[in-house]
Amino acid sequence: MKIVFLLLIIIVPLAMTFIALQTKWAIRLFHLLAILCFYSVATVIASDVYATNTHMTTFTTEIHHFLLNRWFLIPASYLGVYIPYVLWKSLFSKKVEL
């Protein structure tokens, strides 16, 4: 299963890069999704940290609340694919000299 995840982390960003180099609207779509995912992940983390502080509990014992939350896992997994996509895209895009 670890090999499947490793291959997906390599193949999906490369496919995203190929799509982005072919169509301009895909770049904006990938960026928009990344922004939405970032705010979703940040909101889940902030709300769980606030709830932990409000209940006066230790953060290390309450960390599983947001790690098992679908509103955290799905956007965070997209961000985990988006970051290598940005790196691949910068590697394959045309450089503009100033």
Side-chain angles (χ1 to χ4, degrees), residues 19-74:
I19 293 168
L21 292 175
Q22 300 299 320
T23 60
K24 296 291 182 189
W25 60 267
I27 297 170
R28 290 182 186 246
L29 177 68
F30 293 151
H31 291 327
L32 179 66
L33 282 173
I35 289 170
L36 293 174
C37 289
F38 172 78
Y39 282 116
S40 176
V41 166
T43 303
V44 168
I45 291 173
S47 64
D48 279 352
V49 167
Y50 178 75
T52 301
N53 288 339
T54 304
H55 294 116
M56 301 281 209
T57 57
T58 307
F59 182 69
T60 55
T61 60
E62 297 286 325
I63 197 167
H64 299 97
H65 284 243
F66 75 87
L67 289 178
L68 298 175
N69 189 343
R70 288 182 194 255
W71 287 105
F72 175 80
L73 286 174
I74 295 170

